[in-house]
Amino acid sequence: MALEAACQQREIGVAHPRLPLPEAGGEDRPEVFLDWLGKAIPMVNAMGIQHMQRDGDQLSWSLALDPNLNDKGTGFGGALTAQTTLLGWCWTTLWLRRRGILRDVVVATASQKFLAPVTADYQMICMPAESGAAERLAEQLDQKGRGRIALAQQLWCGDTLCLEASGDYVVLK
């Protein structure tokens, strides 16, 4: 019912209001950002995100497996793919917000490699794919007003790496 209510609040073709920027030099509180994200993208409420944390250049989520089960009782590849794509979008959006920049972010490319079945609650981690990528994005934004960054995501179920993903995220003018 909560997902149904969230979907009814949104109108197709109408952008969801932006979350106000945090104070200068500040960070978004994870619970505030995730609450906004669930309203902006209703399917987020069904993804099982339990916790979000940033550590340096890494953004991580802790997720419950239950809402992401497939018919075999393991993680559903489509749900896991959506989560990796969204985590990269969040990484880019939060990176911009810490710098006081409100811009639209879109995914340009995404790919996944499934390595092992997901059989319990899991953690996803997102980081720049290459050293210096965030600095290059900042330079692109300064010079052109738009930019692109390659990000890498990993899904860990305990000590087992179950999924590697990558995506290119574009910051629009």
Side-chain angles (χ1 to χ4, degrees):
M1 286 296 186
L3 181 59
E4 215 171 88
C7 290
Q8 291 174 355
Q9 294 173 2
R10 293 296 317 277
E11 188 176 333
I12 295 171
V14 176
H16 188 73
R18 292 182 191 259
L19 182 64
L21 286 170
E23 291 184 25
E27 299 224 9
D28 286 287
R29 290 193 353 249
E31 64 277 5
V32 172
F33 182 77
L34 288 174
D35 181 62
W36 171 84
L37 189 63
K39 292 172 184 163
I41 305 172
M43 72 181 266
V44 166
N45 297 310
M47 287 183 159
I49 302 168
Q50 298 173 323
H51 180 71
M52 181 176 82
Q53 178 179 333
R54 189 178 76 79
D55 183 14
D57 263 357
Q58 291 188 352
L59 180 65
S60 64
W61 285 345
S62 297
L63 297 108
L65 176 58
D66 289 350
N68 299 295
L69 287 172
N70 64 16
D71 58 319
K72 294 156 204 64
T74 61
F76 173 57
L80 305 177
T81 296
Q83 291 166 355
T84 61
T85 302
L86 182 60
L87 183 57
W89 182 91
C90 289
W91 187 100
T92 310
T93 298
L94 290 167
W95 182 89
L96 290 166
R97 293 175 58 75
R98 283 193 309 278
R99 285 151 184 80
I101 302 170
L102 279 178
R103 294 280 183 81
D104 287 328
V105 175
V106 296
V107 61
T109 64
S111 65
Q112 300 77 32
K113 182 177 180 183
F114 296 89
L115 306 171
V118 178
T119 58
D121 291 352
Y122 52 99
Q123 181 178 29
M124 285 190 166
I125 302 167
C126 180
M127 68 214 88
E130 298 175 352
S131 176
E135 292 79 11
R136 284 191 299 280
L137 176 59
E139 289 171 9
Q140 292 170 5
L141 292 172
D142 286 344
Q143 294 171 3
K144 301 177 188 174
R146 65 185 192 292
R148 178 184 294 248
I149 188 167
L151 299 173
Q153 300 91 11
Q154 297 177 331
L155 184 156
W156 292 87
C157 190
D159 293 332
T160 304
L161 178 59
C162 298
L163 170 65
E164 293 179 319
S166 62
D168 285 343
Y169 294 83
V170 176
V171 179
L172 303 174
K173 268 189 171 180

